[in-house]
Structure formats: structure tokens, C-alpha cells
Amino acid sequence: MKALVFQGPGRTAWQDVPDPIIKDAADAVVRVDAVTICGTDLHIIKGDVPEVTPGRILGHEAVGTVVETGGDVRTVRPGDRVLISCISSCGRCRFCREGHYGQCRGGGGWVLGHTIDGTQAEYVRVPFADLSVHPLPSAVDSHDAVLLADIFPTAYEVGVLNGNVRPGDTVVVVGAGPIGLAAITTAGLYSPGRIIAVDLADSRLAAARAFGADATAGANEQPEQLVADLTDGLGADVAIEAVGVPEAFEMCARMVRPGGRVANIGVHGKPATLHLEELWIKDITITTGLVDTYSTPMLLRMMAAGRLPGSALVTHRFELGQMEEAYDVFARAGDTGALKVVLGGPRHDVLAQTARREAERT
């Protein structure tokens, strides 16, 4: 099959690789029908995630069709259309039993495109299939559903819920990329008093307004003064960092009010300065987190009911074989206006490994 392979910092290739096979009785092999690119993938390519080694197939978000399952899989079968979660769950370890699937110690957590081969390929092996894929209703389009693999649960759990957004709050979202826009959308479910979006790109600030931001500011246009003006000098109740750079985190810490909350979503590859000499007296709560995806079933129901935007976040569509072009467009979002890019290509009816097994039987 073809897959996007990480070859070291700054280098990837769309190349031939072996087909995935069932390695454990809890596995499923899924044909990828729709896949997307995450900002985390860009961090990996920059070298910000050293656990990802050369030779790894990237990607952790996809929708596809089950083609084969291990003997222990009970909830899906070949032919089922499924959402592949960015988080895998063994279901047995302490953290999985507490619903903290992102911290799974039984072989799950964020493994796809990280410590095992991922979804930016024609086929993918998904471990712990019973708990790590979600059957999709026919009413939900694949290009919409793929946004539930990561950005919506991440924005909702790590941003909105960790930030404890409440009715009447002033919420600042620093970074109006796909995760930031998902945070704006899901924060709106809690009736905040106002949502303020901050970004460098005018196109993304326009998108933020379309997705529910009440006010926007360029990152180089004194956004802290805007927040102060809108809150009578008090500061935001909640500041959500959705970029993953030190300047964005430090800006959030400056904009939050005494007793406020800073919720960090961004994937950071460099240290950020924590100004405890200023923050210690302000009763600030700072949260970080890897998504657990416990909210995915609820978000899927909301999308099926038309309560979440899907395709509105998708600005570019590509065939699967155009992976390198899609990466270029996504990486130059300031120039291209890209938000979420989705890829899907011609479908293959038979896995090479299936043909091999048939040959072996005869």
C-alpha cells in the first residue's frame, strides 16, 4: 500500500510500505476512506516529538471501513464504517478504568502515528478495536465525521471542560486554527458572555467570527488591551491556548483575571516561561492535557443531530495520493487560508494480505 512515512525532521515521503496485518486478537484492519492532517503532525515533522522515529507512518485521525478483525473483536465487523479515534484504549489499566484513556498504560493512549503506524495510509491497523473505533450512522458524512477523531474532543475536553467555561464568562481563545475554532464552537455550548479570538492571520480571524467569536484581535495588535477594555480591566475568566508556542501560552497567562483559568491545548516543542512571580498571588489555575476522547460518543450524537459544524471547517479536499500537496497547503495556512484539509481516494476492494492468505490456503 501507499502511506506517508516520516523520514526524520523536515522529511516525509508518500511511498510503498507493507500492508498492515492483524497482530493481536483485539486488532482491526481498516481501509481509510477519509483522513486529515493535524497541527501535531506538523510538530512531529519539525522534530518537536522525538518519540516519533524515522520510518513511522504518520496520522491519527480517520474514517474508514473495517476489512478484517481479530478473534476477540465483538463490536464491529468487516464492512462496518467507523470513526478511528486518535486515542486507543486497552480498557483494563487504572487510567482507562477512570476514563483517562489518553494515559492508558496497557498499550494504548496516543499511539497511532506516534509509537505505531498511523492513519495517513490506504489501510491502518487499529489496536483495541472494540474501544478505539466508533460505528458511524449513515446520516454522518465521512468528511464531517473525521473531525470527531481529534479536534472536537480535544477542544471540548482539554479546552472547554478543563477551562471550566461557564455561562456569562469571558473566554479568550489564542489561536484560531482548527483546534481553536472547535474550542470556540464548543465553548458556545455553555453560553459564555463573550468569546474573543486572537490569531496572526486575518483569514482565521474571519473564520473565528463565523464560528461564534464575538470579537477578534490580531496577535500583533495589542489583544491584551482589547481584553482589558472589554472586561473593565479585570481580564478573561478563561484563556485557552490553541497554538503550542511559548508566546501564546505567556499571552494567555497575562490576559486571565485573578481567579481565572488557563487551559493549554497546544502541543509545545519548546519551554515556555511561567511567571510565578506575578501569578502566585492571582489564584490562577493552569491546566494541560492530552485528550481522552470520552466525549466522542456524545459529540457524534450532536453531529448526527446537526448541532456541530462539520464540513464548514473543511476548506480543502484532496485525493489520498495527493498527501504531500495537502501537507504543503496545510502548512502554509496563512497563505492558503487552509483550516482543515481532508483526503480520500479510490477504494481498494481487496487487501494484498487477504489475497496472500487465500493463496496459502490453496
Side-chain angles (χ1 to χ4, degrees):
M1 70 171 184
K2 293 284 190 181
L4 188 80
V5 179
F6 176 66
Q7 297 184 332
R11 296 182 294 120
T12 60
W14 179 251
Q15 65 185 59
D16 290 317
V17 298
D19 292 328
I21 61 173
I22 298 293
K23 295 182 178 180
D24 184 88
D27 290 348
V29 172
V30 179
R31 181 189 67 208
V32 174
D33 299 329
V35 65
T36 186
I37 302 169
C38 180
T40 302
D41 297 320
L42 299 183
H43 282 281
I44 291 171
I45 294 171
K46 286 169 58 181
D48 290 344
V49 188
E51 298 85 7
V52 181
T53 55
R56 178 69 61 228
I57 297 172
L58 296 183
H60 51 269
E61 309 165 79
V63 167
T65 303
V66 177
V67 296
E68 188 175 7
T69 58
D72 289 347
V73 177
R74 296 290 181 267
T75 60
V76 294
R77 59 185 180 180
D80 287 349
R81 192 169 65 106
V82 295
L83 169 68
I84 301 172
S85 176
C86 66
I87 298 295
S88 302
S89 167
C90 79
R92 298 184 297 270
C93 71
R94 168 185 171 176
F95 291 104
C96 287
R97 288 177 177 272
E98 294 174 353
H100 296 303
Y101 309 123
Q103 303 302 321
C104 174
R105 290 297 182 268
W110 172 36
V111 292
L112 290 170
H114 184 206
T115 58
I116 67 172
D117 287 335
T119 59
Q120 290 170 3
E122 293 180 303
Y123 295 90
V124 59
R125 178 183 72 91
V126 182
F128 309 115
D130 279 335
L131 296 171
S132 305
V133 302
H134 302 269
L136 287 174
S138 59
V140 179
D141 181 78
S142 295
H143 284 200
D144 292 337
V146 74
L147 303 182
L148 297 176
D150 185 353
I151 66 166
F152 270 112
T154 295
Y156 179 61
E157 295 174 19
V158 184
V160 175
L161 295 186
N162 280 3
N164 194 23
V165 174
R166 296 178 292 208
D169 278 352
T170 292
V171 179
V172 176
V173 178
V174 177
I179 285 285
L181 295 176
I184 289 168
T185 299
T186 51
L189 301 174
Y190 290 84
S191 301
R194 63 171 66 85
I195 300 174
I196 304 166
V198 179
D199 201 280
L200 285 168
D202 290 339
S203 61
R204 292 195 163 188
L205 293 177
R209 290 189 289 272
F211 280 87
D214 302 290
T216 59
N220 54 0
E221 296 174 349
Q222 297 184 313
E224 295 164 51
Q225 187 60 53
L226 173 64
V227 172
D229 291 344
L230 291 175
T231 59
D232 296 325
L234 191 62
D237 299 287
V238 183
I240 296 175
E241 198 281 344
V243 184
V245 297
E247 296 82 3
F249 175 81
E250 292 163 25
M251 181 185 294
C252 286
R254 291 193 300 269
M255 290 193 296
V256 73
R257 66 164 173 82
R261 288 90 66 196
V262 175
N264 183 89
I265 301 177
V267 177
H268 288 263
K270 297 179 180 178
T273 301
L274 183 63
H275 288 281
L276 283 176
E277 77 280 6
E278 300 171 2
L279 296 174
W280 74 271
I281 202 170
K282 294 178 65 177
D283 296 340
I284 303 298
T285 298
I286 298 173
T287 59
T288 64
L290 175 65
V291 65
D292 292 313
T293 67
Y294 60 80
S295 66
T296 301
M298 179 272 289
L299 294 170
L300 180 56
R301 291 194 298 272
M302 292 186 67
M303 181 168 281
R307 302 295 186 184
L308 284 181
S311 57
L313 268 167
V314 179
T315 55
H316 296 75
R317 300 173 189 265
F318 298 89
E319 295 294 318
L320 197 59
Q322 296 175 291
M323 185 69 71
E324 291 170 311
E325 180 183 348
Y327 259 92
D328 177 64
V329 168
F330 185 66
R332 296 187 299 108
D335 299 323
T336 63
L339 294 175
K340 206 66 175 165
V341 303
V342 174
L343 303 93
R347 295 181 174 180
H348 300 260
D349 293 327
V350 181
L351 272 175
Q353 67 196 42
T354 304
R356 284 198 301 269
R357 276 192 291 273
E358 291 296 327
E360 290 169 358
R361 291 192 187 102
T362 61

